Amino acid sequence: MRKPCCDKENINKGAWSKQEDQKLIDYIRVHGEGCWRSIPKAAGLHRCGKSCRLRWLNYLRPDIKRGIFAEDEEDLIIKLHALLGNRWSLIAGRLPGRTDNEVKNYWNSHIRRKLIKMGIDPNNHKPHQSFSRPHASSAEAASTSESMNNKVPIFKSPLAATHHRISFTEQESAIISSPSLNLDLTIALPSSMIGALEDKPVQNSESTKTLDMEIDLNC
DNA sequence: AAGAACAACAACCGCCGGTCG
DNA sequence: CCGACCGGCGGTTGTTGTTCT
């Protein structure tokens, strides 16, 4: 049985006050982003460490860009979402100064609605009048971003986010190769590791008609 | 003017993977 | 090797502000 991440009894919840923000900012300015679990106590905050982390990363960090999304940012989010699915942190990584939470909220409150109005399914970026891939079953075509998500490996750790060969369907490749979209998604890796990885190529059994592409997620 | 409905955003929750003892 | 801890992520909920009736 896992211990709760913090003592719920002595924890403040809800919106952060100015004083709390200031305490957190002051502490991190002096000590840096250290162990989030210990920060609340050290900073004199009655908050969960996770809450501190979220507050800092999403709102207090000095390099955060607030305000409305530019048209090109919105465009990029749509294209990245078509490519990556709900990988908000990856998408946010391509938008300087934007956080995953902000991108996620913007998607859910603005873009999603907009696409629906345009008659596009926000989950798979296809027109609502479903059309199936020539080689895909109707059930597969009807599936949502889940099927798309399953094709793209998640790179949660630096080691995992190394050199991967990722396969895309022709349709996804068409999105990527669109002239208006330059994702520059190549993953760099020390040459010493490439050999090791190539011994264990990532298997893709999903589709027989896929194109291998190298993706670079370095910003 | 008041209440309802909707939209936008902030924050929480639970799960997962990586790391360390 | 295993279990606990920790950070990170995505889904979801709660709150506040705005628009509509």
Side-chain angles (χ1 to χ4, degrees):
Chain A
M1 185 70 174
R2 174 178 288 218
K3 277 199 290 184
C5 80
C6 47
D7 175 17
K8 309 253 183 206
E9 299 288 314
N10 281 320
I11 284 294
N12 280 355
K13 287 174 108 177
W16 280 63
S17 68
K18 286 252 190 292
Q19 290 88 345
E20 286 178 310
D21 281 347
Q22 200 52 54
K23 277 184 182 176
L24 186 56
I25 291 168
D26 291 344
Y27 181 85
I28 291 177
R29 267 196 197 136
V30 175
H31 300 94
E33 295 176 36
C35 170
W36 289 110
R37 182 172 268 237
S38 65
I39 280 181
K41 198 177 176 187
L45 288 162
H46 297 290
R47 288 277 180 177
C48 169
K50 274 187 168 187
S51 181
C52 293
R53 176 186 160 272
L54 195 75
R55 185 67 185 168
W56 172 256
L57 292 178
N58 284 334
Y59 303 98
L60 301 177
R61 250 168 41 194
D63 57 330
I64 285 189
K65 180 160 80 180
R66 312 290 304 166
I68 58 169
F69 282 72
E71 217 169 292
D72 57 335
E73 285 181 305
E74 186 178 314
D75 203 35
L76 186 56
I77 291 170
I78 293 169
K79 284 165 179 167
L80 285 166
H81 186 271
L83 173 63
L84 300 165
N86 294 357
R87 304 277 154 67
W88 304 117
S89 59
L90 280 180
I91 294 172
R94 309 294 301 181
L95 293 157
R98 300 296 188 183
T99 68
D100 55 353
N101 207 37
E102 204 179 2
V103 171
K104 179 172 61 182
N105 280 333
Y106 189 71
W107 173 270
N108 286 326
S109 59
H110 292 81
I111 302 176
R112 203 179 146 79
R113 224 183 304 273
K114 194 172 160 183
L115 290 178
I116 289 168
K117 266 189 190 167
M118 290 163 67
I120 296 169
D121 185 339
N123 292 317
N124 56 20
H125 296 258
K126 294 176 192 166
H128 273 305
Q129 286 71 26
S130 66
F131 69 94
S132 55
R133 284 185 229 143
H135 57 283
S137 69
S138 58
E140 189 186 349
S143 67
T144 61
S145 59
E146 223 174 276
S147 64
M148 182 182 293
N149 289 349
N150 290 340
K151 283 177 214 130
V152 185
I154 307 171
F155 306 121
K156 282 195 169 181
S157 70
L159 184 61
T162 52
H163 190 87
H164 256 275
R165 294 189 70 80
I166 296 174
S167 296
F168 294 101
T169 63
E170 285 178 309
Q171 193 171 7
E172 286 151 9
S173 299
I175 295 166
I176 299 158
S177 57
S178 154
S180 60
L181 177 61
N182 178 14
L183 293 172
D184 187 23
L185 295 171
T186 309
I187 299 166
L189 181 75
S191 56
S192 60
M193 298 183 73
I194 292 172
L197 277 168
E198 281 177 352
D199 290 340
K200 296 180 184 175
V202 174
Q203 296 295 321
N204 185 314
S205 57
E206 207 277 328
S207 168
T208 53
K209 280 194 175 182
T210 58
L211 298 171
D212 284 352
M213 301 193 70
E214 295 195 5
I215 293 199
D216 182 349
L217 295 173
N218 290 326
C219 296

